[in-house]
Amino acid sequence: MTSETITAAASGTWKLGDLPVNRIGFGAMRLTQKGRAFTPDAAPSDRDQAIRVLRRAVELGVNHIDTAAFYFSPLRSANELINQALAPYPDDLVITTKVGPGRDPSGAWLPHATPERLRGQVEENLRQLGRDHLDVVNLRIVGTDSIAERFGALAELRDAGLIRHLGISNVRPEHLAEAQAIAPVVCVQNRYGIGAGPEEDEFLRACGEQGVAFVPFYAIAGDGREAGASGADSDEVLAVARAHGASAAQVRLAWTLHRGPHVLAIPGTGDPDHLVENVAAGTLRLSEDELAVLDSSGDR
């Protein structure tokens, strides 16, 4: 089997609530611009190529796409690219979006949304995606304050039928407990990857014990964050990659998926070849010794 014929089904499946997804998904953050995401004057991506990448992702079995209305660059919106590329949507496609942050038309960040403004953000995602409901909405937060009021506002929109399932992003364990007391949480989306600390590992395990999907972001990029992978991989990551004839990015994705059956990956790219590599990472099986080496590498 070549990487061109490997599909996302090889990574296994998990359910977001009642919605089954393959564990290798696709993140749309890098789809709208060249270079670093969220740069106000970023060069827009090639529209036709972005659409090809999205369609190819679905052909390769990707049925979990992560996006947001604030994923845009001059002339490009991730949600509208998804709409143009994939509507009418396949029945098994799960689109996860997030609310809380916002950007003005120039690309500058706005204050995080109040409970009253979250409905407008949900409606904007609905409009851009051309949907009458959103499959999963993550409340993305910054800081340690209570999320009860904001999460409660989203729970009301769920009860109204605008949202099917709820998740939370960039949170701590106490936020999960707070949210679970209000409405079911199907996923936690946090930064996570090789080099994660003990508290992050414990939170990942706690999510699994509760049946909550854990969805890492920056699993490949690490400290590169919005700019993407820096290419400065540790000797340990590179050695494991050589042993498998794989790329460092594939090793990072495989390590992430090995953390538990409830862990989902959402690597993003605007490059068709990188997309194929990312999906193929779902077949990479690391030995216990290799996992131990990567655990101790301190790579971030």
Side-chain angles (χ1 to χ4, degrees), residues 106-131:
S106 75
W109 289 104
L110 299 168
H112 274 227
T114 62
E116 295 75 22
R117 298 190 65 176
L118 287 173
R119 183 183 182 107
Q121 291 191 342
V122 167
E123 290 174 345
E124 180 66 3
N125 278 282
L126 288 167
R127 183 192 67 77
Q128 292 178 356
L129 290 165
R131 304 289 298 271

Short mmCIF file of all heavy atoms in Angstrom, two decimals, residues 106-131:
data_model
loop_
_atom_site.label_atom_id
_atom_site.label_comp_id
_atom_site.label_asym_id
_atom_site.label_seq_id
_atom_site.Cartn_x
_atom_site.Cartn_y
_atom_site.Cartn_z
N SER A 106 -10.14 43.86 8.97
CA SER A 106 -8.72 44.07 8.67
C SER A 106 -7.85 42.93 9.17
O SER A 106 -6.67 42.86 8.86
CB SER A 106 -8.25 45.38 9.31
OG SER A 106 -8.09 45.22 10.73
N GLY A 107 -8.44 42.04 9.97
CA GLY A 107 -7.68 40.92 10.53
C GLY A 107 -7.24 41.12 11.96
O GLY A 107 -6.68 40.21 12.57
N ALA A 108 -7.49 42.31 12.53
CA ALA A 108 -7.10 42.57 13.91
C ALA A 108 -8.00 41.81 14.88
O ALA A 108 -9.21 41.68 14.65
CB ALA A 108 -7.18 44.07 14.20
N TRP A 109 -7.42 41.34 15.97
CA TRP A 109 -8.18 40.57 16.95
C TRP A 109 -9.12 41.47 17.74
O TRP A 109 -8.76 42.59 18.11
CB TRP A 109 -7.24 39.84 17.91
CG TRP A 109 -6.53 38.70 17.25
CD1 TRP A 109 -5.23 38.68 16.84
CD2 TRP A 109 -7.08 37.42 16.91
NE1 TRP A 109 -4.93 37.46 16.26
CE2 TRP A 109 -6.04 36.68 16.29
CE3 TRP A 109 -8.33 36.83 17.07
CZ2 TRP A 109 -6.23 35.37 15.83
CZ3 TRP A 109 -8.51 35.53 16.60
CH2 TRP A 109 -7.47 34.81 15.99
N LEU A 110 -10.30 40.96 18.01
CA LEU A 110 -11.30 41.64 18.83
C LEU A 110 -11.30 41.01 20.22
O LEU A 110 -10.80 39.89 20.41
CB LEU A 110 -12.68 41.49 18.20
CG LEU A 110 -12.85 42.07 16.80
CD1 LEU A 110 -14.17 41.60 16.19
CD2 LEU A 110 -12.80 43.59 16.84
N PRO A 111 -11.87 41.68 21.22
CA PRO A 111 -12.05 41.03 22.52
C PRO A 111 -12.88 39.77 22.36
O PRO A 111 -13.78 39.70 21.51
CB PRO A 111 -12.80 42.09 23.34
CG PRO A 111 -12.51 43.39 22.67
CD PRO A 111 -12.37 43.08 21.21
N HIS A 112 -12.59 38.77 23.18
CA HIS A 112 -13.37 37.54 23.11
C HIS A 112 -14.85 37.83 23.36
O HIS A 112 -15.20 38.72 24.11
CB HIS A 112 -12.84 36.51 24.11
CG HIS A 112 -11.70 35.71 23.57
ND1 HIS A 112 -11.65 34.35 23.69
CD2 HIS A 112 -10.59 36.07 22.89
CE1 HIS A 112 -10.54 33.91 23.11
NE2 HIS A 112 -9.87 34.93 22.63
N ALA A 113 -15.67 37.04 22.68
CA ALA A 113 -17.11 37.30 22.68
C ALA A 113 -17.73 37.12 24.07
O ALA A 113 -17.39 36.18 24.80
CB ALA A 113 -17.80 36.38 21.69
N THR A 114 -18.64 38.00 24.39
CA THR A 114 -19.47 37.85 25.58
C THR A 114 -20.53 36.79 25.30
O THR A 114 -20.75 36.41 24.14
CB THR A 114 -20.16 39.18 25.90
OG1 THR A 114 -21.01 39.52 24.78
CG2 THR A 114 -19.15 40.29 26.14
N PRO A 115 -21.22 36.30 26.33
CA PRO A 115 -22.30 35.34 26.09
C PRO A 115 -23.31 35.85 25.06
O PRO A 115 -23.80 35.07 24.23
CB PRO A 115 -22.92 35.16 27.48
CG PRO A 115 -21.81 35.44 28.42
CD PRO A 115 -21.00 36.53 27.77
N GLU A 116 -23.61 37.15 25.12
CA GLU A 116 -24.61 37.70 24.21
C GLU A 116 -24.15 37.69 22.76
O GLU A 116 -24.98 37.62 21.84
CB GLU A 116 -24.95 39.14 24.62
CG GLU A 116 -25.63 39.29 25.97
CD GLU A 116 -24.68 39.10 27.16
OE1 GLU A 116 -23.44 39.26 26.96
OE2 GLU A 116 -25.17 38.76 28.26
N ARG A 117 -22.84 37.76 22.54
CA ARG A 117 -22.32 37.83 21.17
C ARG A 117 -22.01 36.46 20.58
O ARG A 117 -21.73 36.36 19.38
CB ARG A 117 -21.06 38.71 21.14
CG ARG A 117 -21.31 40.15 21.56
CD ARG A 117 -20.13 41.05 21.29
NE ARG A 117 -19.88 41.16 19.85
CZ ARG A 117 -18.95 41.94 19.32
NH1 ARG A 117 -18.16 42.67 20.11
NH2 ARG A 117 -18.77 42.01 18.02
N LEU A 118 -22.06 35.42 21.40
CA LEU A 118 -21.75 34.09 20.88
C LEU A 118 -22.77 33.64 19.84
O LEU A 118 -22.42 32.96 18.87
CB LEU A 118 -21.67 33.08 22.03
CG LEU A 118 -20.43 33.20 22.92
CD1 LEU A 118 -20.54 32.28 24.12
CD2 LEU A 118 -19.15 32.91 22.14
N ARG A 119 -24.03 34.01 20.03
CA ARG A 119 -25.04 33.62 19.03
C ARG A 119 -24.69 34.18 17.66
O ARG A 119 -24.82 33.49 16.64
CB ARG A 119 -26.44 34.08 19.45
CG ARG A 119 -27.51 33.59 18.45
CD ARG A 119 -28.91 34.06 18.77
NE ARG A 119 -29.82 33.50 17.78
CZ ARG A 119 -30.67 32.52 18.01
NH1 ARG A 119 -30.77 31.98 19.22
NH2 ARG A 119 -31.46 32.08 17.04
N GLY A 120 -24.25 35.45 17.61
CA GLY A 120 -23.86 36.03 16.34
C GLY A 120 -22.72 35.29 15.69
O GLY A 120 -22.69 35.10 14.46
N GLN A 121 -21.76 34.84 16.50
CA GLN A 121 -20.65 34.07 15.95
C GLN A 121 -21.12 32.71 15.41
O GLN A 121 -20.66 32.26 14.36
CB GLN A 121 -19.56 33.88 17.00
CG GLN A 121 -18.83 35.16 17.36
CD GLN A 121 -17.60 34.90 18.21
OE1 GLN A 121 -17.45 33.84 18.82
NE2 GLN A 121 -16.70 35.88 18.28
N VAL A 122 -22.02 32.08 16.14
CA VAL A 122 -22.59 30.81 15.65
C VAL A 122 -23.32 31.03 14.34
O VAL A 122 -23.16 30.27 13.37
CB VAL A 122 -23.53 30.20 16.72
CG1 VAL A 122 -24.37 29.07 16.14
CG2 VAL A 122 -22.71 29.68 17.91
N GLU A 123 -24.12 32.09 14.27
CA GLU A 123 -24.88 32.36 13.05
C GLU A 123 -23.96 32.68 11.88
O GLU A 123 -24.25 32.32 10.74
CB GLU A 123 -25.87 33.50 13.30
CG GLU A 123 -27.02 33.09 14.22
CD GLU A 123 -27.93 34.24 14.58
OE1 GLU A 123 -27.53 35.40 14.38
OE2 GLU A 123 -29.05 33.97 15.08
N GLU A 124 -22.83 33.34 12.14
CA GLU A 124 -21.88 33.64 11.07
C GLU A 124 -21.26 32.36 10.53
O GLU A 124 -21.09 32.20 9.32
CB GLU A 124 -20.79 34.59 11.58
CG GLU A 124 -19.74 34.97 10.54
CD GLU A 124 -20.29 35.80 9.39
OE1 GLU A 124 -21.50 36.16 9.39
OE2 GLU A 124 -19.51 36.09 8.47
N ASN A 125 -20.93 31.41 11.41
CA ASN A 125 -20.43 30.12 10.94
C ASN A 125 -21.48 29.39 10.13
O ASN A 125 -21.16 28.79 9.08
CB ASN A 125 -19.99 29.27 12.14
CG ASN A 125 -18.60 29.61 12.63
OD1 ASN A 125 -17.61 29.21 12.04
ND2 ASN A 125 -18.52 30.35 13.73
N LEU A 126 -22.71 29.43 10.56
CA LEU A 126 -23.79 28.79 9.81
C LEU A 126 -23.91 29.39 8.40
O LEU A 126 -24.03 28.68 7.41
CB LEU A 126 -25.13 28.95 10.54
CG LEU A 126 -25.32 28.13 11.82
CD1 LEU A 126 -26.53 28.63 12.58
CD2 LEU A 126 -25.49 26.65 11.49
N ARG A 127 -23.86 30.72 8.33
CA ARG A 127 -24.00 31.40 7.04
C ARG A 127 -22.85 31.04 6.12
O ARG A 127 -23.05 30.70 4.94
CB ARG A 127 -24.04 32.92 7.25
CG ARG A 127 -24.26 33.71 5.96
CD ARG A 127 -24.01 35.18 6.15
NE ARG A 127 -22.61 35.48 6.41
CZ ARG A 127 -21.67 35.49 5.46
NH1 ARG A 127 -21.97 35.19 4.20
NH2 ARG A 127 -20.41 35.78 5.77
N GLN A 128 -21.63 31.13 6.63
CA GLN A 128 -20.46 30.88 5.78
C GLN A 128 -20.41 29.44 5.29
O GLN A 128 -20.01 29.16 4.16
CB GLN A 128 -19.18 31.22 6.53
CG GLN A 128 -19.00 32.71 6.81
CD GLN A 128 -17.74 32.99 7.61
OE1 GLN A 128 -17.02 32.09 8.02
NE2 GLN A 128 -17.46 34.27 7.84
N LEU A 129 -20.79 28.51 6.16
CA LEU A 129 -20.74 27.10 5.80
C LEU A 129 -21.97 26.64 5.03
O LEU A 129 -21.98 25.54 4.46
CB LEU A 129 -20.57 26.24 7.06
CG LEU A 129 -19.22 26.35 7.75
CD1 LEU A 129 -19.28 25.76 9.16
CD2 LEU A 129 -18.13 25.65 6.93
N GLY A 130 -23.02 27.45 5.03
CA GLY A 130 -24.25 27.06 4.34
C GLY A 130 -24.98 25.92 5.03
O GLY A 130 -25.54 25.04 4.38
N ARG A 131 -24.98 25.95 6.35
CA ARG A 131 -25.61 24.88 7.14
C ARG A 131 -26.79 25.43 7.93
O ARG A 131 -26.84 26.64 8.23
CB ARG A 131 -24.59 24.29 8.14
CG ARG A 131 -23.30 23.77 7.55
CD ARG A 131 -23.48 22.49 6.77
NE ARG A 131 -23.96 21.39 7.58
CZ ARG A 131 -23.16 20.53 8.24
NH1 ARG A 131 -21.85 20.69 8.21
NH2 ARG A 131 -23.67 19.54 8.93
#
